[in-house]
Amino acid sequence: MTPEQLEDLVLSSKNDSDIRRAFAGMPEADRVKLSTTAQKLFSQLNRGKSNASASEALKRAVGKKDTKGWGFWNRPETKRAALAIYACGPLSAATKQDYYTSTDERDAILSDRKPEWLGDWVDHELEKEWTHLEFSTIRAWVKSGACAKPTVDGYYQQFAAHMMSTGFYSRHGETVPPISRQLLAEPDLLDDIEGLFRVETNAFNTNSWFQKGASDEWETWTDALLKLSEGGHYSRDKLLDHAVTGLRADIKQNQLSGYAKFFKAMKPTKDEMIARQGAIIDLLCHKVGLVQKFAVDTLAKIEASDAFDTGPALRELPAVFAAPAKGTAISALKLLEKMLKRSANQGAPDATALEAVVEALPHENGDVQAKAMALLADHAAALDDPLWDRVEDASGFIAATHQRSFADLLAKSGRASDAPEPAPTDTHNYEPLSEDLLANRVLFEEDRIEPIATLDELIDAAFHAVEVVDGPDEIERIIDAISRMADQRPADFEERVAPMLHRLYDQSSGFGQNGLMSVGIGVGDAVRAFVYSWASRTLRGPVKGHLKYYSKENTFVPVIGHLHAMAQRVVQGIAKQPLSTPTHRGGWIDPLVWVERLKDRAHEAGALGSIDLHRSLVRLAPDNRADALQSLADMPGDLGRVARFALGGEDHPAKDDAKHYAAWLCAARSCDPARDWSEDFVAMRVEDTQAGGVRPARFEWRTSHTKESYQDMRWKNANLSYEISAAESDETTAKGGKSFFSLGRNLLGKATEPEWKSIPTIAANGRVER
């Protein structure tokens, strides 16, 4: 075959099988001569662009319109060119990429050719996440001598799945005999059983869908291996060793569960368990809870034996108490209880066993703590001073309901204790710290947020945040500094921020990092757009369409609007101290600082309508309000009235204040967050029925379980349903009557609705429809 004939074959054939027939029986030397042609054909067809030296026929083929819109890779000519690469190309070309072509024709071509690199290519295919290379094909090549049996993980995954196939999910619908029969028919496959306990496969999964379409004689791998062992065809000792060794692997939990179930299905004798107790003791340190439980339960079955390895077991048992599982920890304490009883009967409780029990005291589950305390109390006389010290050190971990028992335990030491007085055991009634929410102090010196002082510091902080955001307080500092330093733009500014501008929207960096450059939608994208607008002095809003995700989840909409409004000012180089910048961690603003900021804005037009003011009002801390109110006594205008109202002053909203409803409402929520303000706001004639508006939000939630099933599998889904609504007004009648607020509103005339997007308290309680 000449290169021209190969090109004509690829471009003009009607069937993929023409490629296979054309190469059938061709000597390897002749194939190699066509390799370059095949690779060039595929390259040009796959990318949809011909070389200058291409033939006219190839140029026409490449230039044909892609009518289906799937891409050039899906054209028949491209798929035939891929088959030609398998027929005459080298390993480097065969493994270069995932070719979209007929796998049946590909496998038939490779079966006929039997290239010396076939084994390497098989390994390459099996190491991919997905492959269409089937076990039956690999097996045929191995048996014919075309390649050696693979040893990569993918081979054992194929081996496990193929041998237990029912044919229901098979591409060709073929059924296979029971596993044990297949293995006995081809004994060299028995050597591959070890890999099932080393590689993550589906061999020991229990999902019912594996049995779909199964015949009456179908076997699981467990069935087959038990039958082979009982018949003397495979060593029982090997299988037990394989199962224990497999449990040490770092693989999925359901796979590990399969190994544990297989070991139990073998019904090992006590002697067989003793022979493997060293490996089982090592499993106590496994990071997966079910493996630890398997180890504890197995050791409990051999604990009474004289051959039980007490020392190593006691060294490793405390590792169980570092895990959160209650059941496993209780089982471990029961095992320790047996060991303590046996050692006490022989003279004295084992000191190492008591040390292990002490390790259970800090466990997060109260029942585990109670069991440990009971064991220590039973053997209190055997505890020496160092061990009592360790018991006392655990006092900070003991649950409130067990503090009395812990105090009783410490009393058995016969010495004075510095442990705290036990808390009351009746802890199920939770009460607020104070009936008056504003009576609680929240401002502490150690929580004060230090503002960014210089432009250099701001640029450094912004660069860092692009890659890593250290927390919300750092973002607040950056937003505040950008607003205050919007007019600072030295000659080298653009050069200094250019790399940051590139990183902010560098899509090649991917996602998953904890920085501004990785955020997708919502408030994170709004912060990124704000920083970009400052650095580039070009207004950039949120990514188009992203705000639609917040049409039902409204919490962050005011924040997004606030950032965009500030960005419009920042790009103009207008510097201003934001009112809503927190002074302390937790988002709190010291009212004394807030008042000083507010005085600078006293004569500013539009201040009452700004989201900056609204956000600052609901962030005012309870501290220092009286002093702040006093300093506002002489502030003129509506801004002064709103500010004094927020801090608990005598000013109240009137009819004409409806135009600034959002500001007055935020001030009301700041003045008394839990109060129903309906009566005070009647004169404004605003139709406010939203949660967190004129009436505080009310939250109701319920938990339930829904039973689900699929075939023979049954499970329960946990459900949480909740409702957020406005609390009922005190004036609402017992049976559907209208509140005083509603009646007054109707008497005074037509009402308007508030714009929730500028009111943080309403937005925060916006319902999420499911």
Side-chain angles (χ1 to χ4, degrees):
M1 185 188 303
T2 65
E4 291 75 20
Q5 289 172 326
L6 174 58
E7 179 179 305
D8 183 63
L9 184 66
V10 167
L11 299 180
S12 305
S13 295
K14 300 300 181 184
N15 298 300
D16 291 347
S17 57
D18 291 343
I19 301 293
R20 170 174 51 83
R21 285 191 289 267
F23 279 94
M26 182 180 294
E28 187 65 23
D30 293 339
R31 293 174 185 263
V32 172
K33 295 176 183 178
L34 298 169
S35 173
T36 301
T37 300
Q39 293 180 63
K40 287 182 177 180
L41 281 170
F42 177 81
S43 175
Q44 294 173 78
L45 289 166
N46 187 55
R47 71 175 190 265
K49 184 177 181 180
S50 58
N51 299 337
S53 60
S55 66
E56 291 301 319
L58 180 56
K59 290 178 179 178
R60 286 194 299 272
V62 170
K64 283 194 300 186
K65 186 178 180 182
D66 178 20
T67 56
K68 294 184 177 180
W70 288 349
F72 300 107
W73 53 269
N74 192 46
R75 288 180 172 180
E77 297 92 336
T78 309
K79 290 189 278 188
R80 288 194 292 269
L83 289 175
I85 288 178
Y86 289 113
C88 63
L91 174 63
S92 59
T95 59
K96 189 173 183 179
Q97 66 181 71
D98 290 330
Y99 298 110
Y100 187 77
T101 191
S102 168
T103 54
D104 289 338
E105 291 297 329
R106 176 202 66 188
D107 295 346
I109 287 172
L110 291 172
S111 296
D112 174 68
R113 183 183 180 187
K114 296 182 178 62
E116 62 179 12
W117 46 258
L118 182 59
D120 293 330
W121 179 81
V122 169
D123 287 350
H124 170 78
E125 278 292 306
L126 293 176
E127 287 174 337
K128 290 169 16 180
E129 185 175 3
W130 299 102
T131 179
H132 292 290
L133 181 59
E134 297 185 345
F135 183 81
S136 56
T137 301
I138 300 171
R139 185 64 184 160
W141 288 342
V142 171
K143 291 168 70 174
S144 70
C147 69
K149 184 190 291 186
T151 57
V152 296
D153 288 358
Y155 170 76
Y156 298 102
Q157 293 165 352
Q158 291 270 27
F159 170 58
H162 174 81
M163 301 296 280
M164 66 187 295
S165 171
T166 66
F168 186 84
Y169 298 101
S170 174
R171 188 159 59 96
H172 299 295
E174 73 272 14
T175 58
V176 295
I179 296 173
S180 59
R181 193 186 305 168
Q182 295 180 73
L183 294 174
L184 292 175
E186 301 184 64
D188 70 296
L189 291 175
L190 293 171
D191 296 334
D192 300 331
I193 289 174
E194 176 272 338
L196 302 179
F197 296 90
R198 177 170 45 82
V199 176
E200 194 168 301
T201 72
N202 61 13
F204 299 101
N205 288 4
T206 56
N207 306 64
S208 62
W209 58 267
F210 284 147
Q211 304 179 35
K212 190 78 172 180
S215 64
D216 293 339
E217 59 178 1
W218 180 81
E219 292 176 338
T220 65
W221 269 102
T222 297
D223 296 333
L225 295 179
L226 289 175
K227 185 180 294 186
L228 291 171
S229 174
E230 292 165 0
H233 303 291
Y234 199 88
S235 167
R236 176 178 174 84
D237 282 339
K238 280 187 177 181
L239 288 175
L240 290 170
D241 289 341
H242 290 338
V244 175
T245 302
L247 283 166
R248 299 173 63 180
D250 184 14
I251 55 179
K252 289 181 181 177
Q253 184 166 316
N254 64 339
Q255 180 86 6
L256 295 170
S257 175
Y259 293 155
K261 290 177 180 178
F262 175 75
F263 186 88
K264 294 175 184 177
M266 292 285 292
K267 297 180 179 178
T269 65
K270 184 173 290 188
D271 287 341
E272 287 174 326
M273 288 186 282
I274 290 173
R276 294 163 179 82
Q277 68 171 318
I280 294 171
I281 288 172
D282 290 342
L283 296 177
L284 292 169
C285 297
H286 202 284
K287 66 180 182 179
V288 176
L290 70 86
V291 178
Q292 288 185 319
K293 188 173 190 322
F294 166 85
V296 171
D297 292 345
T298 306
L299 292 173
K301 295 176 182 177
I302 61 176
E303 181 275 333
S305 169
D306 291 337
F308 182 62
D309 212 346
T310 304
L314 288 175
R315 283 197 299 271
E316 303 300 336
L317 266 172
V320 173
F321 304 126
K326 167 188 171 181
T328 306
I330 294 291
S331 296
L333 285 171
K334 288 180 178 179
L335 175 57
L336 287 167
E337 185 176 19
K338 290 181 181 180
M339 298 170 73
L340 284 167
K341 184 177 181 179
R342 187 153 62 92
S343 60
N345 291 337
Q346 294 173 356
D350 190 307
T352 309
L354 289 171
E355 291 177 6
V357 175
V358 172
E359 293 296 324
L361 288 175
H363 196 276
E364 64 182 53
N365 184 270
D367 291 343
V368 175
Q369 296 175 1
K371 177 68 175 176
M373 285 188 287
L375 279 177
L376 293 171
D378 290 342
H379 301 283
L383 274 64
D384 56 17
D385 282 345
L387 205 50
W388 278 116
D389 289 339
R390 290 174 58 186
V391 172
E392 200 164 338
D393 288 343
S395 62
F397 297 94
I398 304 302
T401 52
H402 298 304
Q403 284 288 347
R404 176 59 64 187
S405 298
F406 186 68
D408 293 342
L409 172 62
L410 290 177
K412 292 180 180 290
S413 69
R415 59 183 187 172
S417 173
D418 295 329
E421 191 68 24
T425 56
D426 184 15
T427 59
H428 62 279
N429 292 322
Y430 294 96
E431 300 294 340
L433 294 175
S434 170
E435 292 292 335
D436 181 6
L437 296 178
L438 297 180
N440 299 300
R441 180 188 176 195
V442 298
L443 301 183
F444 300 93
E445 187 60 33
E446 60 268 24
D447 292 332
R448 186 178 295 278
I449 298 174
E450 190 68 29
I452 293 174
T454 66
L455 182 63
D456 289 344
E457 185 184 351
L458 170 58
I459 292 174
D460 290 342
F463 263 95
H464 180 71
V466 169
E467 304 296 335
V468 178
V469 173
D470 292 331
D473 293 332
E474 185 64 15
I475 291 297
E476 294 281 7
R477 292 176 75 239
I478 291 172
I479 292 171
D480 171 71
I482 288 176
S483 182
R484 288 187 290 107
M485 303 179 194
D487 58 345
Q488 297 185 31
R489 204 169 185 86
D492 62 346
F493 181 84
E494 293 182 4
E495 181 181 352
R496 293 174 64 185
V497 300
M500 179 178 66
L501 288 172
H502 172 72
R503 288 290 286 161
L504 275 170
Y505 289 92
D506 179 11
Q507 299 301 317
S508 66
S509 298
F511 294 92
Q513 299 87 1
N514 184 26
L516 292 179
M517 50 79 65
S518 66
V519 294
I521 62 174
V523 69
D525 179 59
V527 174
R528 176 170 61 165
F530 177 73
V531 174
Y532 185 93
S533 298
W534 159 69
S536 66
R537 195 156 276 186
T538 301
L539 183 64
R540 180 160 189 153
V543 175
K544 185 178 181 181
H546 281 181
L547 279 180
K548 69 181 181 181
Y549 294 102
Y550 287 82
S551 61
K552 296 178 180 178
E553 190 170 0
N554 304 327
T555 303
F556 295 113
V557 169
V559 183
I560 295 171
H562 166 62
L563 290 170
H564 191 60
M566 282 209 303
Q568 291 175 309
R569 171 175 53 77
V570 165
V571 297
Q572 299 176 47
I574 302 173
K576 188 178 295 186
Q577 167 65 63
L579 295 172
S580 58
T581 299
T583 60
H584 291 71
R585 292 174 57 189
W588 294 112
I589 301 176
D590 184 340
L592 291 173
V593 176
W594 179 73
V595 166
E596 293 306 312
R597 295 175 183 173
L598 200 65
K599 288 179 178 179
D600 291 336
R601 310 277 278 273
H603 303 289
E604 182 180 296
L608 281 171
S610 72
I611 303 180
D612 185 28
L613 172 66
H614 306 164
R615 295 183 71 227
S616 72
L617 285 164
V618 296
R619 286 180 157 190
L620 289 177
D623 314 59
N624 303 328
R625 289 200 172 197
D627 292 339
L629 177 61
Q630 185 175 358
S631 68
L632 277 174
D634 298 329
M635 178 176 280
D638 291 336
L639 185 61
R641 292 174 58 229
V642 167
R644 287 188 291 273
F645 175 53
L647 294 173
E650 298 297 327
D651 297 85
H652 274 66
K655 176 181 177 180
D656 293 339
D657 291 322
K659 60 182 178 295
H660 298 308
Y661 183 82
W664 282 99
L665 179 60
C666 290
R669 286 279 148 252
S670 175
C671 179
D672 191 341
R675 179 175 169 178
D676 182 344
W677 288 94
S678 302
E679 184 176 351
D680 300 76
F681 277 60
V682 167
M684 288 192 186
R685 293 176 292 172
V686 176
E687 183 75 26
D688 183 359
T689 59
Q690 301 173 87
V694 73
R695 291 181 296 184
R698 180 185 62 186
F699 309 93
E700 295 182 3
W701 57 86
R702 293 170 295 279
T703 59
S704 61
H705 286 85
T706 303
K707 293 182 178 180
E708 302 286 349
S709 64
Y710 177 74
Q711 297 182 0
D712 61 344
M713 293 187 292
R714 302 289 186 272
W715 67 91
K716 288 183 178 180
N717 287 335
N719 302 312
L720 172 66
S721 58
Y722 61 88
E723 181 178 350
I724 304 174
S725 59
E728 292 293 334
S729 173
D730 293 338
E731 288 77 19
T732 302
T733 61
K735 189 176 180 180
K738 291 185 177 181
S739 67
F740 180 85
F741 177 46
S742 299
L743 291 171
R745 188 179 57 218
N746 293 336
L747 289 171
L748 290 169
K750 184 179 179 181
T752 59
E753 293 185 4
E755 176 51 62
W756 65 267
K757 292 181 180 180
S758 64
I759 306 176
T761 58
I762 293 179
N765 293 292
R767 291 188 57 181
V768 181
E769 298 180 14
R770 293 176 184 256

